[in-house]
């Protein structure tokens, strides 16, 4: 069997849902299990609902109403009024409305997972109901009965033993009466032992698909995307991006780590552990071969450039002009780890430690408040981290033209630069 992952862009409208059904029909012989993300930009929209709820703003309902309208308009195009999917959608929205009425608010990360996880439940209900209509044998499974995590909300750590057992049992049961049934489940979400919903980190559906591939010993995992495969640069930013046909697991991890949004960084390890090949293919042109990522010692020599926006460059200096020494590092890293900031680059000099992190307001604020007690802190929002692998001087020059470089680090293969984001 294979595991297919369909991201938000593939199911962003009714046409997208129909296209997914078409693709799956062509691949029924491979017995795919489908892992699907929330539709379009639903996760962002639910994050906005959550933020409004947290700040107790009075447009919370209105924001949620927009999410409802978006899903209902897709469902209206696909289903007649008597389709049972309407009840399922009603129930999910009832839960969301109920959640934002709640007066006793727990932690941000906890509330995040209870609210934002519903995006995936909605999308998979709609896709499964459409498969049913289109005559594809389908079984919808709740990923919260399959993927067990600890209670690190927003970044659940997988309990592999229980997850493996649950996946075997539930998927096995779904397939026991009809081995050709297409199982549809959610990416991104899981649950704790106490049945609270958890999420695996933004863009975590790829990782979910890798977990399913690992637990079910899939022969291949396929990520269906709106690009033809893994490119050497983001085609939305660089017009000359070209397809990389073959990648090793090693290079794929590096690309993902430096911020290539094409694959979630945690995806490769479970696949690599069982030598399961990963294909990245286009849902727009499904006949194209895409990129194949597998056990090979193919070293990618193509220059690859990755741009990560919304970075904050923080510089930390001791108040008393003492050198940045190990004790200070220990202190700084402890707090980075405590608030779970994501570090993308660091550099130190005698009196200064610079660190480039993702701009995540709550975590960043907590970190800065703590650091300001003991250090002189400066920071720049709106930075871009540009990583160039297999670089040449001419390429660097072309990519950084007229832009101020705030920090730069170099190794033999890789250059990383923090630049000011254009227009800031
Ligand atoms: N829907 C989630 C997100 O947008 C997970 C995913 O798409 O992979 O982050
Ligand atoms: Mg996505």
């Amino acid at each position: 069997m294979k595991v297919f992952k369909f991201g938000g862009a593939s199911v962003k409208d009714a046409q997208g849902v129909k296209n997914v059904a078409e693709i799956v029909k062509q691949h029924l012989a491979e017995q795919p299990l489908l892992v699907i993300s929330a539709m379009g930009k639903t996760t962002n929209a639910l994050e906005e609902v959550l933020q409004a709820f947290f700040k107790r703003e009075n447009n919370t309902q209105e924001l949620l109403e927009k999410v409802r309208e978006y899903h209902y308009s897709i469902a209206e195009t696909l289903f007649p009024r008597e389709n049972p999917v309407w009840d399922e959608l009603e129930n999910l929205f009832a839960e969301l409305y109920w959640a934002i009425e709640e007066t006793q608010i727990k932690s941000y990360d906890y509330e995040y997972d209870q609210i934002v996880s519903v995006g995936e439940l909605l999308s998979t209900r709609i896709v499964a109901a459409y498969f049913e209509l289109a005559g594809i044998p389908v079984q919808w499974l709740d990923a919260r009965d399959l993927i067990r995590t600890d209670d690190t909300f927003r970044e659940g750590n997988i309990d592999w033993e229980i997850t493996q057992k649950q996946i075997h049992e539930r998927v096995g049961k779904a397939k026991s009466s009809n081995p050709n049934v297409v199982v549809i489940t959610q990416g991104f979400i899981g649950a704790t032992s106490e049945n609270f919903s958890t999420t695996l980190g933004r863009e975590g559906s790829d990782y979910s698909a890798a977990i399913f591939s690992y637990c079910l010993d899939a022969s291949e995992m396929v990520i269906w995307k709106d690009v033809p495969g893994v490119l050497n640069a983001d085609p939305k930013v660089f017009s000359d991006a070209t397809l990389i046909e073959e990648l090793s697991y090693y290079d794929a991890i590096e690309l993902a780590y430096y911020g290539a949004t094409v694959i979630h960084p945690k995806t490769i390890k479970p696949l690599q552990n069982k030598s399961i090949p990963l294909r990245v293919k286009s849902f727009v042109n499904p006949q194209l071969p895409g990129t194949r990522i597998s056990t090979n010692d193919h070293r990618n020599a193509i220059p690859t450039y990755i741009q990560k926006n919304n970075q904050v460059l923080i510089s930390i200096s001791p108040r008393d002009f003492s050198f940045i020494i190990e004790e200070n590092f220990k202190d700084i890293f402890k707090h980075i780890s405590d608030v779970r900031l994501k570090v993308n680059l660091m550099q130190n000099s005698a009196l200064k430690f610079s660190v480039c992190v993702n701009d995540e307001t709550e975590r960043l604020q907590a970190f800065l408040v703590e650091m300001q007690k003991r250090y002189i802190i400066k920071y720049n929002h709106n930075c871009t981290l540009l990583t160039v692998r297999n670089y040449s001087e001419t390429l660097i020059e072309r990519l950084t033209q007229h832009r101020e470089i705030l920090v730069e680090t170099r190794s033999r293969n890789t250059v990383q630069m923090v630049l000011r984001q254009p227009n800031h």
Side-chain angles (χ1 to χ4, degrees), residues 201-218:
R202 282 306 305 265
E203 305 302 329
S205 296
D206 294 351
Y207 182 41
S208 301
I211 296 167
F212 282 103
S213 302
Y214 177 94
C215 292
L216 293 164
D217 287 306

Side-chain angles (χ1 to χ4, degrees), residues 25 132 220 233 238 295 315 351 375 377 401 409:
K25 271 190 185 163
E132 192 93 42
E220 187 177 63
F238 302 101
T295 316
S315 82
L351 287 172
Y375 304 91
I377 304 294
Q401 274 176 20
T409 66

Side-chain angles (χ1 to χ4, degrees), residues 305-308 311 345 356 383-388 391 395-397 399-400 403-410 414-420:
Y305 25 111
I306 301 157
Q307 179 168 296
K308 214 174 158 117
Q311 300 292 298
L345 169 146
C356 178
C383 293
T384 298
L385 175 66
L386 181 64
T387 304
V388 189
Y391 61 87
L395 179 59
I396 292 175
E397 225 163 83
L399 295 174
T400 58
R403 292 175 68 181
E404 187 186 348
I405 300 174
L406 302 173
V407 172
E408 173 177 328
T409 66
R410 274 185 195 233
T414 307
V415 166
Q416 290 200 285
M417 289 161 285
V418 181
L419 310 164
R420 257 185 235 289

Side-chain angles (χ1 to χ4, degrees), residues 11-23:
V11 288
K12 69 175 195 305
D13 50 25
Q15 194 43 48
V17 175
K18 290 182 181 172
N19 182 50
V20 168
E22 259 330 293
I23 292 177

